[in-house]
């Protein structure tokens, strides 16, 4: 049976609760334990799939096809444990389940209430697969005091109460603001936050305090006294130059020791931190720098392409270079020449996206990369745009475009080189979709196999002709144009096993030009960079030597 660690936040949001949870997971692994991390989000969306990346950041996709919070990406990057559908839940999903049961008559005529029906649903979720790991880490989204959060806080209180003593602990993340004028770190907001937590029956065992500098003994003792935690369980979370130092930094602060102490695990197994020492060494001691342009639409919020940026960083680590990422808004050159905006980069990446806005700019970015032999990685929409570019400018299909944009505009303007995917094979089933289907959860989602062409660039990069990658798309390159495009030099080097869906395209006479229909960034880890990102950054490094 797992031991449970519940992670809550207070004072303000965006303190790095997800990162703290992920780093703790990595530290427990370093001590030989198995872990699973879960995110419980109080918002009412059924999943984040329909939320704007501007507002909520990237949607992270699991192998089993769930559209989840980007924190699950942190969890995976730090622990290497593939997240599952059952690792992410929201109030919207919980209420949907409860209401479906109510309609089915499962509650036998009872009045349906937050306690016990909603809280039970949450508790059932938390306990899924509890016998599989040593530690289950459950992060509650938002901050204590949020109205939406209450059923979750109540559920974890009951959950811990139902378990034998000592099997559940609570970790609370807060902010210690620094007041410049008086030169002091202030503990009062944390005291209030813990008071709020205790008023709903939760007493933290560990306090993780985000602060600009170290916590002086006086403040630490004050926090311990007023928040009723042990002084050595007050952990400072200082700002770091790289998130990948977090496991080492938290270890230095004694977080993993404090957690094991709270469970009464003594003697605690010694940690092996070699993996993280190597990661920190690579990130802090690069031997060069490459400049990569990410040409996208959601460039104002970097979280919108979180995994892409992280995967590039990982590629830099394996090549021992710093990858400096510039966010380039594709709309800037929707109509103008792209060259002035793209000169000077050692590589260009066009990430995934939805909707027509900015796509003419992305097509130009692909053209610029092809013509100037700049390494290009197109992901999902970035692959589709590269194919449209090839169709228009090389194969002579002047009206080539994506049906996605025609559907959005409500009129037919393009020759659909990229068309709406109506059916595909999943395992031994055929999945069908109509254009008018609901927006939520209806894409081709999750892990699918692809067969790579022997002797192709991608087969060399992967070192295999069989891969499995995660998908999230509704549209697809039409194989009708394959022969015509291949004749021009754009090889369809990866296909779905049944040969119907193009998964990868690459330009033959180009140093590095690859478009993939899937999202390789989701599987990259600092200690195991994804082969595509590893090789893409290597190509960028080569390009940087030429200029
Ligand atoms: N909008 C495109 C599609 O649905 C691409 C999706 C993506 O980039 N994730 O196929």
């Amino acid at each position: 049976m797992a031991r449970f660690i519940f992670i809550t936040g207070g004072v303000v949001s965006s303190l790095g609760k997800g990162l703290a949870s992920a780093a703790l997971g990595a530290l427990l692994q370093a001590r030989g334990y198995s872990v699973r991390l879960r995110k419980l989000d109080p918002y009412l969306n059924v999943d984040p799939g329909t939320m704007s990346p501007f507002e909520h950041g990237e949607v992270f996709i699991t192998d089993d096809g769930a559209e989840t919070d980007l924190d699950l990406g942190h969890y995976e990057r730090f622990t290497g444990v593939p997240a599952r559908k059952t690792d992410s839940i929201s109030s919207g999903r919980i209420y949907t389940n409860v209401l479906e049961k109510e309609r089915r008559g499962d509650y036998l005529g009872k009045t349906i209430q937050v306690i016990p029906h909603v809280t039970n649903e949450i508790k059932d979720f938390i306990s899924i697969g509890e016998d599989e790991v040593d530690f289950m880490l459950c992060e509650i989204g938002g901050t204590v005091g949020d109205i939406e959060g209450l059923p979750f806080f109540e559920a974890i209180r009951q959950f811990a109460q139902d378990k034998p003593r000592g099997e559940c602990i609570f970790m609370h993340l807060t902010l210690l603001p620094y007041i410049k004028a008086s030169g002091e770190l202030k503990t009062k907001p944390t005291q209030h936050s813990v008071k709020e937590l205790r008023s709903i029956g939760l007493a933290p065992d560990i306090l993780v305090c985000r602060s600009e500098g170290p916590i002086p003994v006086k403040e630490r003792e004050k926090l311990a006294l007023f928040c009723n935690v042990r002084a050595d369980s007050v952990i400072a979370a200082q700002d770091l130059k790289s998130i990948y130092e977090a496991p080492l930094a938290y270890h230095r602060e004694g977080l993993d020791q404090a957690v094991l102490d709270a469970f009464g695990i003594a003697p605690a197994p010694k940690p092996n931190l070699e993996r993280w020492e190597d990661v920190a060494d690579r990130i802090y001691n690069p031997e060069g720098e490459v400049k990569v342009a990410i040409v996208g639409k959601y460039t104002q919020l970097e979280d919108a392409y979180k995994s892409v940026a992280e995967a590039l960083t990982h590629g830099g680590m394996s090549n021992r270079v710093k990858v400096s990422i510039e966010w380039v808004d594709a709309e800037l050159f929707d109509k103008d020449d792209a060259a002035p905006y793209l000169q000077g980069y050692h590589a260009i990446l066009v990430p995934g996206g939805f909707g027509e806005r900015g796509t003419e700019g992305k097509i130009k970015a692909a053209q610029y990369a092809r013509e100037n032999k700049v390494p290009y990685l197109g992901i999902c929409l970035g692959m589709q745009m590269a194919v449209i570019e090839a169709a228009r400018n090389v194969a002579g299909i002047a009206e080539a475009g994506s049906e996605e944009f025609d559907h959005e505009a409500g009129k037919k303007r393009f020759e659909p080189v990229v068309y709406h995917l109506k059916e595909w094979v999943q395992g031994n089933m055929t999945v069908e979709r109509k254009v008018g289907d609901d927006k939520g959860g209806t894409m081709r989602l999750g892990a699918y196999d692809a067969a790579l062409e022997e002797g192709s660039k991608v087969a060399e990069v992967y070192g295999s002709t069989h891969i499995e990658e995660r998908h999230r798309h509704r549209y697809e390159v039409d194989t009708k144009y394959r022969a015509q495009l291949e004749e021009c030099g754009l090889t369809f080097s990866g296909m779905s096993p049944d040969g119907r869906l193009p998964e990868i395209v690459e330009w033959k006479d180009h140093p590095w030009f690859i478009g993939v229909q899937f999202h390789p960034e989701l599987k990259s880890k600092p200690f195991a960079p994804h082969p595509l990102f590893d090789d893409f950054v290597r190509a960028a490094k080569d390009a940087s030597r030429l200029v």
Side-chain angles (χ1 to χ4, degrees), residues 351-355 379-382 384 404-405 418 443 472-476 517 519:
F354 294 84
I379 295 176
C380 208
L381 187 68
Q384 297 173 356
E404 176 176 3
F405 314 145
V418 176
M443 282 184 265
R472 183 180 187 233
H473 63 126
R474 217 172 252 123
Y475 296 84
E476 178 71 42
Q517 185 55 73
H519 291 274

Side-chain angles (χ1 to χ4, degrees), residues 31 33 257 260-261 264-270:
R31 290 188 185 253
Y33 296 110
Q257 188 60 55
L260 296 174
D261 285 349
I265 299 175
K270 294 240 167 326

Side-chain angles (χ1 to χ4, degrees), residues 337-340 342-346 348 364-376 509-513 543 546-547:
D337 181 15
L342 297 176
Q343 265 154 7
Y345 293 109
H346 305 128
I348 293 171
K364 281 189 191 156
Q367 181 179 9
Y368 176 88
R370 175 178 59 78
E371 291 176 349
N372 295 285
K373 307 262 184 237
V374 180
Y376 177 94
D509 310 318
H510 191 289
W512 212 101
F513 193 114
L546 299 174
V547 289

Side-chain angles (χ1 to χ4, degrees), residues 263-439:
F263 281 114
I265 299 175
K270 294 240 167 326
N272 175 355
L273 295 166
E274 266 168 45
R275 167 184 278 185
W276 295 104
E277 278 152 8
D278 180 52
V279 162
D281 177 55
R282 286 172 184 276
I283 201 112
Y284 287 142
N285 302 300
E287 287 158 10
E289 179 169 350
V290 296
K291 278 172 66 182
V292 178
I294 299 187
V295 180
K297 180 167 72 169
Y298 316 112
T299 48
Q300 301 97 316
L301 179 71
E302 292 186 12
D303 269 359
Y305 303 114
K306 188 80 195 150
S307 295
V308 173
E310 295 307 330
L312 279 173
T313 304
H314 306 160
M317 288 158 74
S318 53
N319 287 282
R320 287 219 167 253
V321 290
K322 175 178 184 325
V323 178
S324 99
I325 297 170
E326 301 266 345
W327 305 89
V328 180
D329 184 353
E331 274 185 279
L332 292 174
F333 41 85
D334 251 349
K335 295 199 174 63
D336 304 341
D337 181 15
Y341 297 94
L342 297 176
Q343 265 154 7
Y345 293 109
H346 305 128
I348 293 171
L349 189 153
V350 178
F354 294 84
E356 186 171 11
R357 198 153 60 76
T359 51
E360 288 302 322
K362 292 177 190 178
I363 291 169
K364 281 189 191 156
Q367 181 179 9
Y368 176 88
R370 175 178 59 78
E371 291 176 349
N372 295 285
K373 307 262 184 237
V374 180
Y376 177 94
L377 175 57
I379 295 176
C380 208
L381 187 68
M383 173 225 197
Q384 297 173 356
M385 295 305 103
V387 171
I388 291 171
E389 191 280 316
R392 284 188 196 170
N393 303 327
V394 187
I397 309 168
E399 306 303 320
S402 169
E403 248 189 329
E404 176 176 3
F405 314 145
D406 278 350
H407 288 154
E408 192 184 23
K411 55 179 183 245
K412 174 139 179 48
R413 297 160 299 163
F414 294 120
E415 178 160 349
V417 170
V418 176
Y419 72 104
H420 185 266
L421 196 53
K422 285 169 201 70
E423 64 167 63
W424 63 88
V425 179
Q426 183 172 36
N428 43 20
M429 267 169 43
T430 303
V431 185
E432 287 179 33
R433 290 284 186 271
K434 290 190 289 298
V435 177
D437 281 350
D438 282 353
K439 283 277 179 270

Side-chain angles (χ1 to χ4, degrees), residues 1-6 36-40 84 86-89 94 101 118-133 135-138 140 152 155-156 158-160 162-163 167-168:
M1 281 298 189
R3 291 181 168 95
F4 289 82
I5 305 169
F6 293 103
R36 179 161 287 285
L37 286 105
R38 287 204 165 133
K39 180 84 193 274
L40 291 80
R84 300 181 192 150
T86 45
D87 293 331
S88 162
I89 197 125
I94 293 282
K101 286 186 186 169
V118 170
T119 45
N120 282 351
E121 194 69 29
I122 298 172
K123 283 171 20 184
D124 289 347
F125 168 78
I126 294 169
S127 59
I128 295 171
E130 63 178 324
D131 48 356
E132 291 172 18
V133 288
F135 286 96
M136 190 84 87
L137 286 74
C138 299
I140 316 291
F152 289 90
I156 60 176
Q158 291 180 15
F159 189 91
D162 296 344
K163 289 275 175 197
E167 283 190 12
C168 300

